[in-house]
Amino acid sequence: ILLDEIWILFPDPWPKKKHHKRRLINNTFFAKINSKLIFGGKIIIVTDSISYFISILNSVHKSKKFKWINDKPKNWQYSNTNLIKTKYYQKALKSNRKSMIIILSKI
């Protein structure tokens, strides 16, 4: 089975440096997911953790299998989308954290 889209909304950021290896989205994730996604398929990721946002983009760059679609800062704001606003989005708002969206396409 091949997928058209994969949505990952607010994965656990494991904020402590010693726990970063537990993060779902990393180099291994992109290597595994590549075979499950159709050509041009999308991965949509939303996080309110800046360090996780940067980590995800580093992994995307290393994989060379995905293109970052919304690569302009004005397009990173999840609040500007019509997508579902989860309880984690609401929690981030209450804590004054911005939620950022990453949209990737398999190349």
Side-chain angles (χ1 to χ4, degrees), residues 17-92:
K17 182 89 169 150
K18 67 181 181 178
H19 293 146
H20 283 192
K21 63 183 174 277
R22 297 180 184 176
R23 288 179 168 178
L24 171 67
I25 305 169
N26 54 32
N27 299 340
T28 304
F29 170 82
F30 286 110
K32 288 181 180 179
I33 207 67
N34 185 46
S35 65
K36 307 293 182 203
L37 201 60
I38 65 167
F39 176 79
K42 290 191 167 84
I43 301 176
I44 298 162
I45 305 166
V46 181
T47 183
D48 61 346
S49 168
I50 293 171
S51 72
Y52 204 4
F53 182 82
I54 293 167
S55 173
I56 291 167
L57 293 178
N58 283 333
S59 294
V60 169
H61 179 71
K62 287 179 185 173
S63 82
K64 300 184 186 336
K65 305 275 186 194
F66 296 91
K67 179 181 178 188
W68 186 18
I69 302 298
N70 65 326
D71 60 350
K72 304 283 187 256
K74 66 179 182 176
N75 298 326
W76 300 347
Q77 296 303 317
Y78 184 61
S79 59
N80 294 341
T81 69
N82 292 329
L83 302 175
I84 188 169
K85 305 302 191 251
T86 68
K87 69 178 183 179
Y88 297 104
Y89 170 76
Q90 301 298 334
K91 188 176 176 181

Side-chain angles (χ1 to χ4, degrees), residues 5-9 42-46 83 101-103:
E5 288 185 351
I6 297 171
W7 290 63
I8 305 170
L9 304 178
K42 290 191 167 84
I43 301 176
I44 298 162
I45 305 166
V46 181
L83 302 175
I101 185 167
I102 300 170
I103 302 173

